[in-house]
Amino acid sequence: MRIRGITKHYYLMLLPGLIWLFFFNLLPMHGILMAFKEFNPGMGIWKSPWVGLENFRYMFELDDSIQVFKNTIFIAVLKMIGNLIVPLLFALMLNEVKNRYFSRTVQTIVYLPHFLSWVIVAGIMIDIFSYTGPINQVLSVFGMDPVLFFANAKIFPSLIVGSDIWKEFGFAAIIFFAALTSINPEMYEAAAIDGASQFKRLMRITLPSILPVAILLGTLSLGNILNAGFDQIFNLYNPAVYSTGDVIDTWVYRAGLIDMQYGLATAVGLLKSVVGLVLISTSYGLAYRFANYRIF
Amino acid sequence: MKKQGIKKGLTAIMVGLLITTSLSACSSNNTTNSSSNNSEGSTNVAVNIDPLGKFPEPLEVSIGRSLDTNYKFNGTDTAEDNAYTRWLKEEYNIVVKHAWEASVTDYDQKVSLAISSNDLPDAMRVNETQLKQMIKADQLEDLTEVYKNVGAPRLKDIYESNPGLLENVTVDNKLYAFPETTLPSAPLTWIRKDWLDKLGLEAPKSLEDLEKIAKAFIDNKMGGKNTVGIVGTGQGGALYSTFLTSSDHYMNFSSLFFANGAYPGIWVKDKDGKAVYGSTLPETKQTLAMMREWYTKGILDKEVGLRKSGQEIAVSGEAGIFFGPWWTPYNLQDAIKNDPEANWRPYVAPLNAAGEFTSNQATGSNFIVVKKGYEHPEAVVKMLNVHVSEKIASYEGATKGKEMTGQEIPLFIIAGAGDQLDYTVNTLRDYLDGKIKLEDIDKVNYGFTNDLALHVKDIKIAPFDNYDIQHWDQVKDPGFFAHVYAHLNGGSTFVDADVKYLRSLATSKTKTMDARWTNLKKMEDETFLKIILGSSPLEDFDTFVQKWMEQGGDTITKEVNELQ
């Protein structure tokens, strides 16, 4: 492919991203060798003795592994769906609000939580859902017993998914807003003249127009499917919710950094990446096939 | 022309990237090579250096440092550049540089990261697990020679008065670390005595007393509408300290277990003299049952294991009972600031059925280690010499009368004679009573005691044998208040207590533990917390024991028995 002079600077803009990718994603990859070794930090990665697939064999032996994988996938899939649908619906609804001042204000307010760190959001969450917090006070008005939300393994995944959606939907909606503004208003006018109802216009014009963007976002998020969100869960979980809340990243953190089982932790992490790779390849293939969507 | 320029730039960047890659790929090899060369050389250099003399040239020591973000330094001082470090440079030519800093809570994690990436500062403080890992990974400098040649007599005296300490960190006749002299410790029950007095309650002895007091505090809303009963473990914390942790039982529930004759988290002898893991024994189950009942009744904090910090609840005045060692008052200064009436006092309670006060003995500790290949291990030894020895005249001027803490002193460890706490507490009491004079204090061996005695009369006001908060002057000498308050309010109760200790049979991980412990520990933490919170039935304890045995516990128990 010949690069035409006029587009050269676009490629230059890629550079910061590529450099970042190289240093933080490609360079550390030689570390995956640790998964096949009995890692000894004093000897370094290269000199530590090989153990073959021993770490993997042991990983599959552990009851934990299956549970942790299940939790990860469950939480991640729910997050993926929620983070696609909620911003989309929100953008569509706000798009119907004709008062521009109002919709701008709402937009600004809802994307603010995106900029808070999980440490802060988790602190607020724990206070809100605490035994004497506002949620339980509301429940007591209705005569219900207080609930310890963060100690309940059944509720925990919903809290994780819910808070993630709450934090991110405003920011994710920005892309949909952008897509919505790019729809040619003449189409709406023509449809209105043909007598299409507001709902019909939404279904036949708006949705198809932003579908490619939705698919793009969906595909991109698949790459993150096994990242159920370390920061968030680490700041919110406790042993009482291990059964549904312990995900690969938190488990790897405990095994690797607290207990110093480096080889095992790396093996689990590597498996996570391999599964992630398969998933993103599949989803990309599907997107190409059914939505005729391609990045390259 | 333009095109070429861009191309050139890109090439430069790519070349740059390649160089950095190859460098980082080799770096691990380089360090190991160079280190083995250096370590041979350094031992020879160290011979015949005056333990407390000034180095002819400035020597740099890079360290990893834990920072207490709440600590107030004098003026513009920082942890890296303060009265103590400047004095160290001035008088001894030792320049302390920070390789990295981490908050107190993140410090262990940062150290683990440094170990796993083999990116180590010249010296740092590590815990026992990390020490063992570093010895295994051959990351540590052999300190045998340099300790022999440069160690000050005072430093050697300290280790001689604490038998076994250096032996524990000597492997294959090589000394790998300078251990902290673990002061004996046991969790006392800390109670708001002003609340006890208001309700006309007696000091607690048994578990029943404790339950009664907690109930009275809650029923009478002593801490406001949401008074919390017994507060303890917060989010991510452990219910009790184990043979691998050295938490000194601060703000956990060990006391409740001890009073029931249970020793979870450590290896004890069963009636046949065989090693068993305390967490799997019936006494532990019985304590969990009790805690579960207390939890339902509201005696235990409803948010056990979920709170960001248990200490916060005590400091804010919502709770009036928790467990902690003698030094707890160091952490209660904010509580007193919030409420000058807050009269936190320690009690030797709860006692077990036989009326004894029992505790497991803290096994873990802190260790100062030196990176293998560091050229000047003698600088680290000299820093410790200076830390423990009587200060030269210029010290007073440099520190302007402020008592330096671990925040100012680099590579701070508690290093004192084994009986340091006893001596300090008894000396302070005798001195206040007028039984001894300042000159009678053994200034050479107990320098800190002497420092405390110099200030104690400004802080403790009469009557001297009453440690309630109204008998203290909190403003006159703030630099020493916490020290004196902790030693007399907590230390005196502990020194007088008759503690029956139980020590763990194993103090580090066995081979199978290396692989299995993450899994077993997770199971233990999860099961116990859920039983207490009532989200699992008590019978889950039996399932836990069975699963624990099956998933490696059996083998591990065998290994621990082989250690005996």
Side-chain angles (χ1 to χ4, degrees), chain B residues 89-381:
Chain B
K89 177 168 189 296
E90 192 70 24
E91 291 296 334
Y92 298 97
N93 254 335
I94 298 171
V95 184
V96 176
K97 285 266 180 277
H98 285 190
W100 43 259
E101 297 169 343
S103 72
V104 176
T105 42
D106 294 339
Y107 181 76
D108 272 354
Q109 186 184 328
K110 182 76 197 173
V111 172
S112 294
L113 263 178
I115 295 172
S116 59
S117 59
N118 202 21
D119 181 12
L120 303 167
D122 297 334
M124 62 178 171
R125 176 175 59 77
V126 301
N127 67 31
E128 178 148 1
T129 315
Q130 289 158 344
L131 172 74
K132 297 266 158 74
Q133 170 74 42
M134 293 180 90
I135 294 177
K136 205 170 85 184
D138 195 22
Q139 288 174 310
L140 295 180
E141 180 76 22
D142 174 8
L143 300 166
T144 322
E145 284 297 309
V146 75
Y147 172 66
K148 207 167 78 192
N149 296 328
V150 189
R154 177 85 189 96
L155 186 67
K156 290 175 176 167
D157 283 350
I158 288 172
Y159 283 124
E160 267 158 36
S161 76
N162 290 276
L165 268 187
L166 288 188
E167 284 79 357
N168 279 345
V169 293
T170 307
V171 179
D172 298 333
N173 291 322
K174 288 179 183 148
L175 177 68
Y176 280 117
F178 293 109
E180 187 160 275
T181 53
T182 24
L183 300 171
S185 170
L188 305 164
T189 301
W190 291 86
I191 300 186
R192 284 280 297 260
K193 183 154 177 264
D194 48 326
W195 293 2
L196 278 184
D197 292 345
K198 256 183 214 150
L199 299 173
L201 293 168
E202 289 284 311
K205 286 263 175 259
S206 62
L207 284 165
E208 291 74 37
D209 296 347
L210 205 58
E211 184 183 359
K212 218 172 59 200
I213 292 170
K215 180 131 199 337
F217 281 0
I218 299 165
D219 290 348
N220 293 291
K221 300 192 167 41
M222 301 308 288
K225 195 162 65 68
N226 297 322
T227 306
V228 178
I230 302 175
V231 65
T233 308
Q235 193 196 18
L239 293 169
Y240 38 82
S241 40
T242 71
F243 71 104
L244 293 171
T245 53
S246 61
S247 75
D248 247 5
H249 309 284
Y250 180 66
M251 278 253 163
N252 66 23
F253 291 108
S254 298
S255 301
L256 299 180
F257 288 93
F258 298 156
N260 277 309
Y263 297 91
I266 70 165
W267 294 87
V268 295
K269 275 188 183 138
D270 67 2
K271 53 184 185 309
D272 305 325
K274 285 232 157 107
V276 280
Y277 187 51
S279 298
T280 62
L281 298 180
E283 289 86 3
T284 300
K285 182 181 181 181
Q286 183 201 334
T287 312
L288 288 175
M290 181 193 84
M291 290 175 77
R292 180 189 175 90
E293 193 197 314
W294 282 17
Y295 180 82
T296 321
K297 288 187 192 163
I299 305 291
L300 286 193
D301 177 13
K302 275 285 172 196
E303 286 170 70
V304 166
L306 308 182
R307 286 193 194 281
K308 276 281 167 204
S309 142
Q311 185 177 321
E312 212 171 90
I313 306 300
V315 166
S316 71
E318 275 181 90
I321 310 173
F322 67 89
F323 307 105
W326 69 267
W327 50 257
T328 296
Y330 278 103
N331 294 358
L332 289 175
Q333 294 183 77
D334 285 343
I336 306 169
K337 231 171 258 162
N338 288 343
D339 177 2
E341 307 262 285
N343 185 19
W344 285 101
R345 298 280 289 122
Y347 297 93
V348 183
L351 308 177
N352 67 12
E356 297 163 332
F357 185 62
T358 54
S359 173
N360 71 15
Q361 202 168 17
T363 49
S365 188
N366 289 314
F367 303 86
I368 301 291
V369 294
V370 176
K371 174 176 81 171
K372 182 162 189 171
Y374 174 52
E375 293 93 339
H376 303 291
E378 66 276 11
V380 174
V381 177

Side-chain angles (χ1 to χ4, degrees), chain A residues 65-252:
Chain A
S65 313
I66 298 153
Q67 189 196 54
V68 164
F69 266 91
K70 263 194 209 153
N71 292 343
T72 311
I73 291 173
F74 182 67
I75 291 175
V77 167
L78 284 188
K79 271 188 182 176
M80 217 178 77
I81 297 171
N83 279 330
L84 199 59
I85 289 179
V86 174
L88 180 63
L89 288 180
F90 173 74
L92 288 177
M93 289 195 310
L94 206 62
N95 195 40
E96 299 299 321
V97 176
K98 294 305 168 208
N99 181 340
R100 284 183 68 86
Y101 180 73
F102 174 77
S103 65
R104 286 250 172 104
T105 317
V106 170
Q107 253 190 70
T108 313
I109 293 170
V110 296
Y111 82 58
L112 281 179
H114 169 79
F115 297 100
L116 297 176
S117 79
W118 272 115
V119 179
I120 294 168
V121 178
I124 298 171
M125 293 258 311
I126 287 177
D127 276 350
I128 292 178
F129 287 94
S130 75
Y131 204 73
T132 50
I135 304 274
N136 270 320
Q137 276 172 10
V138 172
L139 287 183
S140 72
V141 171
F142 296 102
M144 289 161 78
D145 288 332
V147 183
L148 257 185
F149 292 96
F150 279 106
N152 189 319
K154 286 202 189 85
I155 304 177
F156 190 74
S158 346
L159 286 173
I160 290 292
V161 173
S163 59
D164 188 56
I165 292 174
W166 172 78
K167 188 169 176 290
E168 299 300 334
F169 83 93
F171 197 72
I174 291 175
I175 298 174
F176 289 116
F177 284 128
L180 285 170
T181 49
S182 70
I183 301 172
N184 187 349
E186 281 175 21
M187 290 204 283
Y188 288 110
E189 284 155 21
I193 289 165
D194 287 346
S197 67
Q198 190 138 7
F199 183 70
K200 270 260 160 76
R201 275 178 265 166
L202 176 74
M203 294 305 286
R204 296 292 164 87
I205 301 170
T206 318
L207 269 185
S209 307
I210 60 171
L211 194 63
V213 176
I215 290 173
L216 169 69
L217 290 180
T219 313
L220 290 180
S221 70
L222 264 172
N224 275 328
I225 186 153
L226 294 184
N227 286 335
F230 174 79
D231 287 4
Q232 182 193 14
I233 294 174
F234 180 73
N235 279 299
L236 288 170
Y237 83 154
N238 61 70
V241 295
Y242 276 168
S243 58
T244 59
D246 200 14
V247 295
I248 298 174
D249 289 334
T250 49
W251 191 90
V252 167

Side-chain angles (χ1 to χ4, degrees), chain A residues 2-3 8 12 15 19 22-23 27 30 34 38-47 58 61-64 67-68 71 119 122-123 126 129-132 137 148 150-151 153 233-244 246 251 253-262 264, chain B residues 2-3 6 10 13 17-18 20-21 24-26 28-29 32-33 108-109 111-113 115-118 129-130 133 136-139 225-226 235-237 244 295 302-308 318 509 513-519 521-523 525-527 529-530 533 535 547 551:
Chain A
R2 232 188 93 233
I3 301 175
K8 243 188 293 185
L12 207 62
L15 206 62
I19 293 174
F22 180 80
F23 276 106
L27 205 58
H30 74 282
M34 274 161 69
E38 191 194 319
F39 178 62
N40 179 330
M43 297 191 216
I45 292 171
W46 300 104
K47 288 190 177 168
Y58 176 58
E61 236 178 70
L62 285 178
D63 284 359
D64 275 8
Q67 189 196 54
V68 164
N71 292 343
V119 179
I126 287 177
F129 287 94
S130 75
Y131 204 73
T132 50
Q137 276 172 10
L148 257 185
F150 279 106
I233 294 174
F234 180 73
N235 279 299
L236 288 170
Y237 83 154
N238 61 70
V241 295
Y242 276 168
S243 58
T244 59
D246 200 14
W251 191 90
Y253 163 79
R254 290 203 311 278
L257 273 185
I258 307 279
D259 293 323
M260 301 190 164
Q261 286 177 248
Y262 307 114
L264 180 62
Chain B
K2 202 174 155 201
K3 206 177 190 174
I6 289 173
L10 275 175
I13 291 168
L17 290 183
L18 276 175
T20 31
T21 342
S24 58
C26 308
S28 48
N29 295 342
T32 29
N33 288 342
D108 272 354
Q109 186 184 328
V111 172
S112 294
L113 263 178
I115 295 172
S116 59
S117 59
N118 202 21
T129 315
Q130 289 158 344
Q133 170 74 42
K136 205 170 85 184
D138 195 22
Q139 288 174 310
K225 195 162 65 68
N226 297 322
Q235 193 196 18
L244 293 171
Y295 180 82
K302 275 285 172 196
E303 286 170 70
V304 166
L306 308 182
R307 286 193 194 281
K308 276 281 167 204
E318 275 181 90
K509 284 188 181 177
M513 274 193 230
D514 272 342
R516 302 269 163 169
W517 203 248
T518 309
N519 188 32
K521 186 85 183 67
K522 172 178 171 175
M523 210 155 68
D525 290 346
E526 184 177 7
T527 314
L529 186 59
K530 277 177 133 177
L533 295 176
S535 49
K547 271 168 74 184
Q551 296 182 13

